[in-house]
Amino acid sequence: MSEHSLQFLVSSPRGLSDLLARELIALGADDARERSTGVTFSGTLATAYRACLWSRLANRVFLEVARFNVPDTEGFYTAVRQIDWAAHIGPGATLACDFTGQHPAITHTHFGALKLKDAIVDSLRAERAWRPNIELERPSIRVHAHAHGTNFTISLDLSGESLHRRGYRGAAGEAPLKENVAAGVLVRSGWPEFAKQGAEFLDPMCGSGTFVIEAALIAADRAPGLSRDYFGFLGWAGHDAGVWNQLLEEARARSRAGDATKLVMRGHDRDAGAIRNARANAERAGIQGLVKFEVKGLSEAAPERAQSRQPDDDTDAAATAVANVRSPWPSRSTTWPGKGGGADEKTDTGADSGRDAGAPVPGLLCTNPPYGVRMEDRETARAVHRELGAVLRERFHGWNAAVLTGAPELGLELGIRAHRTHTVWNGAIECRLLRMKVDPGSERQPGRLGKGDTNLRETPGAQMFANRLAKNLKKQQTWAERAGVSCYRLYDADMPEYAFAIDVYRTIEPDQSWLYVQEYAAPAEIELDSVRKRRGEALSTLSDVTGVPEERVRVRTRRKTKRGEQYDKVQNQEEYHVVLEDGLKFLVNFEDYLDTGLFLDHRTTRARLRAAAAGKRFLNLFAYTCTATVHAAAGGAVSTTSVDLSNTYLNWAQRNFELNGMSSRQHALVPADCRVWLHDRAHGRERYDLIFVDPPTFSNSKRMEGVLDIERDHPELIDGCARVLAPGGLIVFSTNSQRFRLDESLSSRYDIRDISAKTLPRDFERNPRIHRCFEVRLGATGV
């Protein structure tokens, strides 16, 4: 393999690939091309080493060793075995294997990883008469196979483990921010330029100090990988120790020079324990002299006056000496390679490169306030955002602010207009980065989402929306009354520019009507002023058209994200209401969650299950609040078993059973990971006649084993259900995944019928993709 023809893939958090491409080009990468979650490039081994050592944004660095196209499992095994593994794995080395993607014949990643391992081990045993030991944690070499259809790429993971692990993090606190995500936010917000110009930096809610430490590493020109004691290439047979040691010495020299910086990066937090962790993290990172952490509340946040820098102790630390120079980074009009490198491709560098000479360099306040995913009390999070906005407007005029939030609607509480927003993913959590310039022109009245702007009621847009809503109400209300439906969808983004789903709930305890409004978050490229105007127009008309008073209108923002993340608690009021469906009572909650406890699009599915349940043993997997189980019990099921990982939802389910006078002795509620539960019962005697499976699209709960991706994992899940299905039994599989495609191999094992159209309620006919639903029965070759 020629040193100058090496091909690499560098993965990164979603939303940062454009910045990663710039970073890799600066490190010497050639032909850098962006992907959705990373960058490919060609270059030397030294370039890859620099990426491992210096990249602030990367997750992993992969060196490609082979590409091939094979149609089946044996072809994959043979092709992998033909690779010269002795060139990569030496005697005494340990090995780990990973497999991603999906191949027509290899649909389970664990199976794919095992076949990859078998081929490598068998090759070395045959050619060299020895085999490597398997070591899942920190192996000498980690081999990665990725399938895209029948095409495979085999790579070596030179990073070994994710590069966001800098080596300084100890206790992470309640809601840790990944280090490379923090660095990406800082780069996107212009901190590298501001730091070179001597600007102040403050995180007034710093937690374990990730933003502050990453800001200090940037300001001090310290390689983020310098504190790591493990990389995947250190045990690789092709490792060039001379090149690596030279790069380390260069990085250490730059770090020593950077220690002379006059900047001090400051962090505050009201939690003394968090500040102790932050100081310990900074010491492990070797930049304790460049940071100052203090136990202070948000209300005490303020810029520092310029004075000499001192170590992190209880005395006042340094502020900044401002140098009025233009940004050394390219301006926003610069074109960068990636996504075709066309003339329209532009990269936002964050800082204002066109600032007039002589103007003061603004400081940067960068923070990740609580937003409901990591704090259960949503009202507390709302109050924190309001306080942060008040502090910014009062004391930080002229500063730049970067606020990372997982709940974009809370950004309205800041009372400052964001001039740019960016989508950033912290693990599985989709966040918004709000970038603001704190000046009188950006200030706005802080407001609570959901009240609307009464001044917008007379605009043409508001009138069009009101007319459509009134038309829908007349039609749907008449149908609902005839059909005995008390909860239904009134509006579902009928006018694309007004992207809301509006549901009507008629409660019986007490007897009231409610509106539950879900706003589909606008793409980041849509101007915020336009989003706010349309939101105001829509919300200002709701009460007038429907007659539901404002105090019974609830508004939530639903981001385009995985359903597994959408059940996080957003408040803690524990206020429940009772609704009727087909004569059954169910509890709904309009305050505490993104979903109410009753999926309206499954109304027809639940009725079908009820009609099929008489005399059956019923199993409900991913049972949520067990509304389907209550229907099955009402339909005459002899027993029911409901499995869900959440005790909260199973407690809710128990109350649903009690509301309908059903004894818990016949209805088992099992708190468990559904996949593990199925696996454990595959060889037992218990069988079920009717199984309902409605999994989330994606889930990575810490209580689960691994990650559930339903597009990838549904064959394994259906196979597991088939193993506990009684002869003549029926599996009803449903998913809300918008891009779901049933694995074709399942049709050879089972009798499958697509019943999606038959399970679509009338009020959801405008959105036929709301869910997919299938009946699955054992075929001649079934499990």
Side-chain angles (χ1 to χ4, degrees):
M1 180 182 300
S2 171
E3 166 84 356
H4 296 285
S5 63
L6 302 180
Q7 299 296 315
F8 300 94
L9 167 66
V10 183
S11 62
S12 68
R14 292 171 63 184
L16 300 181
S17 58
D18 62 316
L19 298 179
L20 176 62
R22 295 182 62 218
E23 183 182 60
L24 292 172
I25 291 169
L27 294 172
D30 295 322
D31 194 27
R33 297 184 179 274
E34 292 177 40
R35 294 185 176 183
S36 61
T37 56
V39 175
T40 61
F41 74 91
S42 58
T44 65
L45 188 57
T47 304
Y49 284 173
R50 287 192 195 96
C52 288
L53 182 61
W54 279 101
S55 177
R56 303 185 188 280
L57 310 175
N59 282 331
R60 294 177 185 268
V61 178
F62 298 99
L63 167 62
E64 181 182 313
V65 297
R67 282 177 178 262
F68 49 80
N69 182 300
V70 292
D72 52 31
T73 303
E74 284 309 307
F76 171 68
Y77 171 87
T78 301
V80 172
R81 184 166 177 171
Q82 289 173 350
I83 297 170
D84 181 11
W85 290 109
H88 304 293
I89 306 173
T94 56
L95 171 68
C97 293
D98 298 323
F99 187 101
T100 59
Q102 195 165 33
H103 182 275
I106 307 176
T107 58
H108 301 166
T109 56
H110 180 64
F111 174 73
L114 288 175
K115 295 299 290 186
L116 175 64
K117 182 266 296 180
D118 289 345
I120 295 172
V121 169
D122 292 349
S123 174
L124 288 169
R125 183 188 289 120
E127 297 294 328
R128 301 297 172 118
W130 59 267
R131 58 157 292 168
N133 290 324
I134 303 303
E135 178 58 61
L136 299 182
E137 297 295 327
R138 295 195 163 192
S140 304
I141 192 70
R142 184 179 292 275
V143 182
H144 181 266
H146 179 73
H148 183 70
T150 57
N151 295 307
F152 283 97
T153 303
I154 309 299
S155 305
L156 306 180
D157 183 351
L158 299 183
S159 46
E161 61 184 14
S162 179
L163 293 172
H164 83 269
R165 298 175 180 172
R166 315 290 205 216
Y168 66 72
R169 165 102 24 109
E174 185 179 357
L177 178 68
K178 289 183 182 294
E179 293 89 326
N180 56 347
V181 175
V185 168
L186 292 168
V187 172
R188 183 76 77 189
S189 302
W191 174 243
E193 298 84 5
F194 295 142
K196 290 175 182 178
Q197 299 169 27
E200 287 190 54
F201 180 89
L202 172 65
D203 181 352
M205 293 175 281
C206 69
S208 58
T210 307
F211 272 139
V212 179
I213 294 171
E214 292 296 321
L217 291 173
I218 291 172
D221 193 29
R222 183 180 178 89
L226 202 54
S227 298
R228 284 171 57 111
D229 59 2
Y230 170 73
F231 289 94
F233 56 77
L234 294 176
W236 172 41
H239 173 47
D240 190 330
V243 171
W244 174 242
N245 289 332
Q246 181 180 350
L247 292 174
L248 281 178
E249 285 305 312
E250 291 174 358
R252 289 171 183 141
R254 288 172 62 174
S255 178
R256 288 191 293 270
D259 286 343
T261 179
K262 300 296 183 181
L263 292 180
V264 167
M265 280 50 69
R266 295 184 296 132
H268 301 165
D269 203 282
R270 66 180 183 178
D271 185 341
I275 292 298
R276 284 194 297 272
N277 291 337
R279 288 172 175 164
N281 289 342
E283 186 170 358
R284 281 187 288 268
I287 45 84
Q288 63 269 29
L290 306 178
V291 299
K292 180 182 176 73
F293 290 110
E294 295 181 286
V295 180
K296 285 186 177 182
L298 177 58
S299 62
E300 301 175 80
E304 267 199 338
R305 296 177 180 176
Q307 51 187 283
S308 61
R309 180 169 64 82
Q310 299 178 14
D312 178 17
D313 53 23
D314 292 332
T315 63
D316 288 338
T320 62
V322 176
N324 298 313
V325 296
R326 289 182 179 271
S327 169
W329 284 41
S331 69
R332 288 180 57 184
S333 62
T334 302
T335 300
W336 291 95
K339 295 185 178 179
D344 293 334
E345 299 293 341
K346 299 179 181 178
T347 299
D348 184 2
T349 64
D352 180 7
S353 60
R355 184 172 49 250
D356 293 335
V361 177
L364 177 64
L365 184 148
C366 184
T367 194
N368 177 212
Y371 46 76
V373 171
R374 67 177 185 176
M375 288 182 60
E376 290 191 350
D377 188 350
R378 188 55 167 248
E379 287 305 313
T380 298
R382 192 184 301 280
V384 169
H385 280 72
R386 283 208 168 196
E387 183 179 8
L388 173 60
V391 169
L392 283 168
R393 296 192 305 274
E394 179 183 349
R395 301 176 192 156
F396 289 87
H397 274 272
W399 275 52
N400 291 283
V403 178
L404 183 68
T405 178
E409 68 272 18
L410 292 179
L412 295 174
E413 306 297 336
L414 296 170
I416 304 172
R417 286 187 175 87
H419 65 86
R420 288 299 301 273
T421 64
H422 307 272
T423 300
V424 179
W425 290 76
N426 182 32
I429 303 174
E430 183 182 356
C431 303
R432 289 291 190 275
L433 170 60
L434 309 177
R435 287 170 46 201
M436 295 162 282
K437 179 71 175 179
V438 186
D439 56 36
S442 67
E443 293 184 8
R444 62 178 297 279
Q445 182 67 32
R448 181 184 296 272
L449 179 66
K451 294 301 183 184
D453 185 345
T454 56
N455 295 326
L456 295 174
R457 290 178 182 172
E458 304 304 320
T459 65
Q463 291 299 309
M464 285 192 298
F465 180 80
N467 290 340
R468 175 59 64 92
L469 199 64
K471 179 180 178 180
N472 286 7
L473 182 64
K474 181 178 179 180
K475 179 180 178 181
Q476 299 289 60
Q477 198 169 46
T478 301
W479 159 78
E481 289 175 356
R482 283 202 309 265
V485 173
S486 61
C487 306
Y488 58 90
R489 179 142 297 181
L490 174 62
Y491 176 92
D492 199 352
D494 301 28
M495 302 165 67
E497 61 271 33
Y498 296 94
F500 297 88
I502 302 174
D503 296 328
V504 175
Y505 285 81
R506 181 76 183 184
T507 64
I508 61 172
E509 297 177 17
D511 184 5
Q512 297 174 333
S513 288
W514 293 73
L515 293 182
Y516 197 75
V517 182
Q518 300 171 79
E519 180 182 14
Y520 300 113
E525 61 268 18
I526 302 298
E527 292 293 333
L528 279 180
D529 284 346
S530 177
V531 173
R532 293 184 182 116
K533 181 175 184 291
R534 288 172 179 172
R535 177 190 299 125
E537 288 174 339
L539 299 181
S540 67
T541 68
L542 291 180
S543 292
D544 289 344
V545 173
T546 65
V548 177
E550 280 191 358
E551 60 267 23
R552 294 205 296 272
V553 177
R554 293 294 179 267
V555 182
R556 295 284 183 265
T557 298
R558 187 174 290 280
R559 304 181 302 278
K560 186 178 180 182
T561 185
K562 313 298 185 186
R563 179 174 158 192
E565 190 212 335
Q566 289 174 349
Y567 301 154
D568 289 326
K569 205 165 190 179
V570 295
Q571 291 196 36
N572 195 28
Q573 297 191 20
E574 298 292 335
E575 184 176 341
Y576 292 87
H577 304 265
V578 179
V579 298
L580 277 177
E581 181 178 272
D582 288 344
L584 299 172
K585 296 180 180 180
F586 296 106
L587 290 173
V588 293
N589 184 312
F590 303 126
E591 309 291 345
D592 297 340
Y593 304 87
L594 279 176
D595 291 301
T596 63
L598 183 66
F599 291 127
L600 302 187
D601 65 295
H602 278 316
R603 185 189 313 114
T604 303
T605 307
R606 287 188 288 268
R608 290 172 67 98
L609 291 170
R610 181 174 182 172
K616 302 293 197 307
R617 295 162 292 180
F618 178 73
L619 173 62
N620 188 359
L621 298 174
F622 306 95
Y624 191 37
T625 59
C626 292
T627 53
T629 309
V630 172
H631 271 272
V638 295
S639 67
T640 71
T641 301
S642 302
V643 185
D644 197 280
L645 195 59
S646 170
N647 282 311
T648 298
Y649 295 131
L650 292 181
N651 290 336
W652 193 336
Q654 180 63 45
R655 295 175 65 185
N656 280 335
F657 281 115
E658 292 170 355
L659 267 179
N660 292 282
M662 296 177 179
S663 169
S664 60
R665 287 177 295 180
Q666 293 176 280
H667 309 294
L669 301 176
V670 183
D673 180 333
C674 291
R675 291 184 297 175
V676 174
W677 187 87
L678 278 175
H679 179 270
D680 292 345
R681 279 150 185 79
H683 303 294
R685 295 183 178 180
E686 187 67 31
R687 292 294 180 266
Y688 300 91
D689 307 294
L690 179 60
I691 302 176
F692 180 51
V693 194
D694 182 30
T697 300
F698 179 90
S699 180
N700 66 343
S701 169
K702 292 181 179 179
R703 296 176 59 199
M704 286 179 57
E705 290 192 9
V707 172
L708 173 67
D709 182 339
I710 201 57
E711 293 182 49
R712 178 193 68 197
D713 297 331
H714 70 274
E716 177 186 1
L717 190 58
I718 291 175
D719 285 344
C721 291
R723 294 187 184 99
V724 298
L725 186 67
L730 171 65
I731 300 168
V732 178
F733 174 83
S734 180
T735 176
N736 289 85
S737 173
Q738 295 292 300
R739 297 177 297 178
F740 182 79
R741 294 182 62 183
L742 191 72
D743 189 286
E744 294 179 359
S745 67
L746 292 172
S747 298
S748 65
R749 303 197 294 275
Y750 307 109
D751 177 14
I752 299 179
R753 190 161 63 106
D754 187 340
I755 59 170
S756 303
K758 294 183 178 180
T759 59
L760 190 67
R762 175 171 170 173
D763 46 323
F764 285 88
E765 289 176 348
R766 291 159 292 176
N767 184 11
R769 296 174 58 199
I770 190 69
H771 69 236
R772 299 289 305 282
C773 197
F774 302 86
E775 288 185 344
V776 182
R777 293 176 172 84
L778 295 179
T781 60
V783 176

